[in-house]
């Protein structure tokens, strides 16, 4: 397999495979094959980004790269290997726990000599882990303590305690792996761009070819309703292109010869021929993905913090056990320091609390992708909103009709709707919908309608030419003159709305003001966030200052940035994240993706662009932002629950340790009570953090 190294840390490397090297179906097979190599700990392959992330022991770097280069499609695209890797996927959580319980019961029914042999065999993997930590990683961590506790119990002929310890460790490992796998499966989103075949213009002919065969310079024909599959330049034709997923603009924009277009955007009207300039990994979408990957490398994890805490306690367990043995020469008392394992409860309770909160979030319309994002939500003191599609509904709406030159308001709106009803684009629908709401009926009195793609509509009525459309169409193409008074009106309203111009004869008959209205829930959410303790709320928008100021005042937001390009949004969020405790970025477009990734926690909606959902750390499962406050509450209360669990675990196990050292309880009873305290902490971890006030939404 051909690849390039895009990022590397000690024991961790990310490779980028050549275009088309593998697909979604091959991911599991590639992971299985590489994980079978000596020195490889974990592999994550992503056909979406064409990347392979490999965790390995540092001395084996050369072997890892060699093994990857030797992989060919003949090897990892084999159907039997695919079936094998698919079958080896993590099963359901309840099924795994049930299987573990059944095995435990079966072992208890075995004769003692056989049960002892099984325990010894089971202990070997834990002993290997401990030895690996000591001699390879050169660390005294939880793996060493686990191995010591198991060996100590078996040395005293206490195979029951050893078995319980091994089972609890396995259960913790299972919960951690399942949480990660479940999150990965639930959140596996793909880009909207799923083009398999395209139509090209070659040698004066139109031919259909597989998208994989497209090369730079090819002329791709894109008709209304189709996705543009490449970054390129319009070579022929005119069209209205919906770029909301890429730029956040709610309205379609005109694209004609010489204009740039981007992969993943959609042609709403017309037909264009696009000259391919960037394909595959070189497209703007792919560059966004690269920024996202680089940002992901810098994020921390609550699981990592709990494991670090657990590891940091381990040396004290050993020191205490050694001191006790030196003072008492009693191996039973000394073993109490090993049997009372703080780390076991910490490592088990934390993933359980995370899993419970993730599931509770789904019930409340919030998909949280992992523990590190719960931690980020909890720590955040700043929320940044992208305006279009997030604080607004991203659906054009007529908010004002300004009649001019003797025409009545109703007359201007009725005539505009009469022309626009022949065409299905979003602005036309908004005009027709407004007329219907006001019950304005009209008879078909105009002549045949002429439509200029991306410009406007023209017809004739009572011998006069009637036109409706953009400023370019009305004032430049059609030559309609305006007075100073009309110019002042246009200057004033253009700062707040998108304008549609209606002219009859050679004079303006009216101006239709179109806006992207604010979401009904937006202002209450802003107020709720402030009550929840969010100190700073910022709105980012590409709109002009007047429009931004108007929207911010309605929402109760005092801080905003206007006329921002997508790259500026990302830079702003990244800078803000370096100043504040934590930053939540809320957006829904492809252009928001780098900013979502730069934030401590990125939040998108189910209705947002596919890549925004892919990049976001939290996805709101309904087409509104109301659950955002609950997401913050879940994060904060989950962290509080984990911290309370830490206190309980330390206090309970310290008490057991003191009782064991004083000789008041035996090591076996100490181990039993320790395990019961672990179960208690785990049960508490599963308790809900939100009030039961809302029903399940999905």
């Amino acid at each position: 397999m051909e690849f390039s190294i895009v990022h590397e840390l000690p024991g961790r490397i990310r490779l980028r495979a050549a275009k088309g090297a593998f697909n979604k179906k091959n991911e599991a097979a590639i992971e299985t094959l590489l994980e079978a190599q000596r020195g490889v700990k974990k592999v994550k392959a992503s056909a979406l980004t064409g990347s392979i992330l490999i965790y390995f022991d540092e001395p084996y770097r050369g072997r890892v790269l060699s093994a990857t280069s030797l992989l060919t499609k003949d090897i990892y695209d084999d159907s039997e290997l695919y079936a094998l890797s698919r079958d080896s996927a993590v099963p359901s959580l309840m099924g795994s726990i049930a299987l573990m319980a059944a095995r435990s019961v079966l072992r208890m029914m075995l004769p003692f000599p056989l049960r002892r042999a099984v325990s010894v065999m089971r202990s070997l993997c834990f002993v290997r882990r401990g030895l690996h930590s000591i001699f390879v990683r050169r660390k005294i961590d939880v793996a060493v303590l686990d191995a010591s506790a198991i060996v100590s119990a078996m040395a005293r002929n206490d195979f029951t305690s050893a078995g319980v310890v091994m089972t609890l460790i396995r259960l913790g490992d299972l919960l951690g792996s399942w949480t990660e796998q479940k999150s990965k499966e639930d959140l596996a989103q793909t880009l909207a761009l799923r083009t398999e075949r395209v139509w090209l213009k070659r040698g004066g002919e139109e031919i259909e070819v597989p998208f994989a065969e497209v090369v730079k310079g090819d002329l791709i024909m894109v008709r209304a309703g189709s996705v543009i599959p490449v970054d390129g330049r319009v070579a022929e034709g005119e069209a209205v292109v919906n770029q909301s997923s890429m730029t956040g603009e709610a309205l379609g924009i005109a694209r004609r010869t010489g204009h740039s277009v981007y992969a993943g955007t959609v042609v709403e009207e017309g037909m264009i021929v696009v000259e391919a300039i960037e394909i595959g990994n070189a497209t703007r979408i792919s560059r966004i993905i690269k920024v996202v990957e680089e940002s992901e490398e810098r994020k921390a994890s609550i699981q990592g913090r709990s494991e670090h805490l657990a590891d940091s306690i381990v040396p004290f367990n050993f020191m205490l056990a050694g001191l006790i043995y030196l003072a008492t020469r009693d191996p039973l008392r000394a073993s109490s320091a090993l049997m009372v394992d703080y780390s076991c409860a910490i490592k088990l309770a934390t993933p359980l609390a995370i899993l419970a909160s993730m599931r509770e979030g789904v019930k409340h319309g919030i998909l949280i992708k992992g523990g590190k994002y719960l931690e980020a939500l909890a720590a955040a003191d700043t929320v940044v909103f992208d305006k279009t599609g997030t604080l607004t509904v991203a659906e054009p709406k007529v908010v004002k009709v300004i009649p001019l030159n003797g025409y009545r308001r109703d007359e201007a709106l009725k005539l505009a709707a009469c022309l626009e009803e022949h065409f299905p684009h979003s602005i036309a629908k908004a005009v027709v919908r407004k007329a219907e709401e006001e019950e304005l009926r009209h008879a078909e009195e105009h002549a045949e309608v002429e439509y200029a793609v991306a410009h406007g509509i023209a017809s004739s009525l009572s011998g006069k030419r009637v036109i409706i459309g953009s400023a370019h169409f009305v004032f430049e193409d059609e030559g309609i003159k305006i007075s100073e008074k009309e110019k002042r009106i246009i200057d004033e309203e253009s700062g707040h709305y998108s304008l549609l111009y209606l002219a009859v004869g050679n004079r303006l008959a009216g101006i239709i003001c179109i806006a992207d209205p604010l979401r009904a829930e937006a202002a209450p959410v802003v107020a709720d966030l402030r009550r929840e303790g969010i100190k700073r709320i910022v709105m980012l928008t590409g709109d002009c200052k007047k429009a931004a100021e108007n929207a911010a005042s309605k929402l109760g937001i005092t801080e905003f940035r206007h006329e921002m390009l997508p790259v500026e949004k990302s830079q702003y969020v990244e800078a803000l994240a370096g100043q504040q405790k934590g930053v939540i970025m809320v957006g829904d477009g492809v252009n928001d993706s780098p900013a979502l990734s730069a934030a401590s926690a990125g939040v998108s909606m189910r209705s947002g662009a596919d890549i925004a959902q892919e990049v976001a750390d939290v996805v709101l499962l309904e087409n509104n932002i109301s659950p955002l406050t609950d997401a913050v509450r879940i994060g904060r209360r989950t962290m509080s629950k984990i911290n309370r669990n830490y206190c309980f675990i330390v206090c309970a196990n310290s008490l057991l340790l003191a009782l064991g050292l004083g000789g008041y309880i035996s090591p076996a009873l100490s181990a039993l009570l320790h395990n019961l305290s672990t179960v208690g902490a785990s049960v508490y971890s599963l308790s809900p953090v939100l009030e039961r006030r809302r029903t399940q939404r999905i």
Side-chain angles (χ1 to χ4, degrees):
M1 178 189 295
E2 294 182 6
F3 61 83
S4 57
I5 299 174
V6 294
H7 189 273
E8 185 171 5
L9 293 170
R12 172 179 176 142
I13 191 167
R14 185 183 293 277
L15 310 176
R16 177 87 65 199
K19 179 185 174 183
F22 64 95
N23 55 36
K24 185 76 175 174
K25 190 178 83 169
N26 302 144
E27 289 177 349
I30 290 173
E31 291 170 358
T32 301
L33 287 165
L34 290 178
E35 285 175 355
Q37 304 300 312
R38 188 177 179 186
V40 176
K41 297 177 180 177
K42 184 179 178 183
V43 179
K44 291 178 68 176
S46 172
L48 177 66
T49 62
S51 70
I52 303 173
L53 180 61
I54 306 173
Y55 297 84
F56 58 93
D57 295 328
E58 290 184 50
Y60 294 94
R61 180 182 181 278
R63 181 174 291 187
V64 168
L65 296 178
S66 177
T68 307
S69 65
L70 291 173
L71 281 181
T72 64
K73 201 155 190 175
D74 293 338
I75 297 174
Y76 57 74
D77 201 29
D78 182 83
S79 59
E80 292 184 7
L81 180 61
Y82 168 59
L84 176 64
S85 60
R86 179 183 57 194
D87 293 340
S88 65
V90 176
S92 69
L93 179 62
M94 295 310 297
S96 298
I97 293 175
L99 182 60
M100 182 179 292
R103 287 174 175 171
S104 298
V105 172
L106 180 62
R107 283 193 294 268
M108 292 173 63
M109 297 172 63
L110 295 174
F112 180 73
L114 189 55
R115 188 164 73 244
R116 181 169 55 186
V118 170
S119 295
V120 172
M121 293 298 295
R122 290 181 68 204
S123 70
L124 293 179
C125 65
F126 297 100
V127 173
R128 279 197 298 268
R129 283 189 198 176
L131 293 174
H132 183 271
S133 292
I134 294 172
F135 295 109
V136 178
R137 301 179 65 197
R138 300 186 182 280
K139 292 177 65 177
I140 298 177
D141 56 14
V142 171
V144 179
L145 184 61
D146 290 340
S148 301
I150 294 166
V151 171
S152 171
M154 290 193 297
R156 300 192 322 272
N157 211 31
D158 186 359
F159 288 92
T160 300
S161 295
V164 170
V165 170
M166 287 188 282
T167 299
L168 284 170
I169 294 170
R170 288 290 192 196
L171 182 58
D173 291 343
L174 169 66
L175 287 168
S177 298
W178 188 89
T179 300
E180 180 181 355
Q181 182 72 11
K182 178 64 175 169
S183 174
K184 182 179 177 181
E185 290 175 358
D186 284 348
L187 307 170
Q189 303 290 336
T190 55
L191 288 171
L193 185 59
R194 300 185 183 94
T195 305
E196 296 293 336
R197 302 183 69 83
V198 295
W199 284 91
L200 302 182
K201 288 188 73 172
R202 283 182 180 171
E205 296 183 359
E206 297 180 10
I207 58 171
E208 187 180 20
V209 301
F211 178 61
E213 295 180 7
V214 174
V215 297
K216 288 185 180 181
D218 274 344
L219 299 177
I220 302 173
M221 303 176 65
V222 189
R223 295 177 172 83
S226 298
V227 176
I228 298 173
V230 297
D231 286 0
R233 184 183 300 109
V234 178
E236 300 176 27
E238 293 183 70
V240 173
V241 178
N242 185 332
Q243 295 191 152
S244 60
S245 64
M246 179 64 72
T247 65
E249 297 170 274
L251 308 179
I253 62 172
R255 299 282 86 181
R256 54 183 71 91
T257 303
H259 286 174
S260 297
V261 291
Y262 301 107
T265 57
V266 180
V267 173
E268 285 188 337
E269 307 165 34
M271 193 276 285
I272 52 177
V273 176
V274 178
E275 179 188 355
I277 295 175
E278 301 291 357
I279 303 170
N281 290 336
T283 61
R284 188 176 180 184
I285 282 179
S286 295
R287 292 197 298 272
I288 288 172
I289 292 172
K290 183 178 179 181
V291 172
V292 169
E293 288 177 345
E294 291 172 350
S295 179
E296 286 296 306
E297 303 287 351
R298 300 191 292 267
K299 290 191 175 180
S301 167
I302 181 62
Q303 288 99 326
R305 192 179 73 171
S306 67
E307 289 175 6
H308 176 72
L309 175 62
D311 286 343
S312 66
I313 296 172
V314 171
F316 296 100
N317 283 81
F318 282 107
M319 290 172 59
L320 186 59
L323 290 172
I324 293 166
Y325 182 75
L326 290 174
T328 65
R329 298 295 177 179
D330 185 348
L332 284 177
R333 292 191 180 186
S335 65
S336 298
L338 301 179
M339 298 305 295
V340 178
D341 179 7
Y342 294 86
S343 62
C344 180
I346 291 173
K347 289 181 71 177
L348 183 60
T350 299
L352 275 175
I354 291 166
L355 174 61
S357 293
M358 288 170 64
R359 284 192 160 186
E360 187 173 5
V362 171
K363 290 181 180 180
H364 287 78
I366 308 156
L367 198 60
I368 302 170
K369 298 185 179 182
K372 58 186 174 183
Y373 310 122
L374 284 166
E375 185 179 23
L377 288 169
D381 61 350
T382 301
V383 175
V384 179
F385 288 100
D386 177 67
K387 175 177 171 283
T388 303
T390 304
L391 294 172
T392 66
V393 297
E395 182 179 317
K397 182 178 180 180
V398 174
V399 294
K400 187 187 293 186
V401 179
I402 303 172
L404 297 169
N405 295 313
Y407 285 88
R408 300 189 311 275
R409 177 188 178 281
D410 288 357
E411 187 179 7
L413 177 58
K414 182 166 65 174
L415 181 54
C418 187
L419 295 172
E420 294 282 14
E421 69 178 355
H422 297 278
F423 302 96
H425 59 74
S426 55
I427 294 180
K429 290 178 181 178
V431 173
V432 173
R433 186 166 55 246
K434 183 66 174 177
E436 290 175 348
E437 289 171 359
E438 298 187 9
E439 298 184 350
L440 298 176
R441 309 298 178 188
H442 54 270
E444 291 283 353
E445 298 178 358
H446 56 74
E448 184 177 346
V449 174
E450 304 169 13
Y451 179 58
V453 174
H455 289 252
I457 301 169
S459 185
S460 60
L461 179 66
S462 302
K464 294 182 179 180
R465 184 169 174 79
V466 181
I467 58 173
I468 186 170
S470 65
H472 173 81
F473 178 58
V474 173
F475 302 134
E476 296 181 26
D477 292 353
E478 294 292 326
I480 301 298
K481 304 298 182 184
I482 55 174
S483 65
E484 285 299 320
K485 178 182 177 182
E486 291 167 345
K487 189 176 185 302
R488 285 194 298 271
I489 293 173
I490 292 171
D491 289 341
E492 172 63 26
E493 300 298 340
S494 62
H496 301 280
Y497 311 109
S498 297
L499 304 182
L500 194 63
Y501 302 92
L502 174 70
V504 179
N506 59 357
R507 296 191 304 169
L508 276 183
I511 300 172
I512 298 175
C513 302
I514 298 173
D516 186 12
L518 296 171
R519 292 180 179 273
E521 74 274 13
V525 166
V526 170
D528 285 346
L529 288 171
R530 294 193 190 282
R531 284 192 289 270
E532 196 60 33
I534 298 296
K535 297 177 181 178
R536 189 174 181 184
I537 299 177
V538 185
M539 183 185 77
L540 307 182
T541 178
D543 293 345
C544 66
K545 184 177 180 180
K546 285 184 180 178
E549 195 170 42
N550 182 46
S553 64
K554 291 179 180 177
L555 295 168
I557 296 175
T558 56
E559 188 175 352
F560 62 88
R561 298 289 185 275
H562 58 89
E563 297 178 1
M564 294 193 79
L565 298 173
V567 67
E568 293 174 333
K569 292 180 183 179
S570 175
Q571 292 169 349
Y572 176 80
V573 172
E574 191 170 351
L576 199 60
Q579 302 168 5
Q580 308 299 123
K581 289 182 179 178
V583 176
I584 298 171
M585 169 68 194
V586 191
D588 72 329
V590 172
N591 64 299
D592 298 323
S593 300
L596 290 172
S597 186
S600 308
V603 180
S604 183
M605 288 178 289
R606 175 63 65 85
S607 59
D610 285 350
I611 192 172
Q613 295 182 58
E614 178 81 19
V615 168
D617 310 313
V618 179
V619 179
L620 307 181
L621 299 177
E622 292 188 345
N623 188 24
N624 66 69
I625 57 173
S626 295
L628 178 62
T629 311
D630 275 346
V632 174
R633 291 191 185 109
I634 288 174
R636 292 185 172 179
R637 294 176 188 181
T638 300
M639 291 304 107
S640 295
K641 181 165 65 173
I642 289 173
N643 290 330
R644 284 193 292 270
N645 248 342
Y646 286 162
C647 293
F648 168 74
I649 290 165
V650 170
C651 292
N653 285 286
S654 296
L655 177 61
L656 292 176
L657 194 58
L659 292 173
L661 297 179
Y664 297 106
I665 57 176
S666 67
L669 180 57
S670 178
L672 176 62
L673 293 175
H674 158 68
N675 292 328
L676 288 175
S677 71
T678 300
V679 171
S682 300
V683 170
Y684 177 65
S685 293
L686 294 171
S687 61
V689 295
L690 292 182
E691 300 83 0
R692 297 182 180 277
R693 56 184 174 79
R694 294 165 69 181
T695 57
Q696 185 168 335
R697 294 186 173 190
I698 62 170

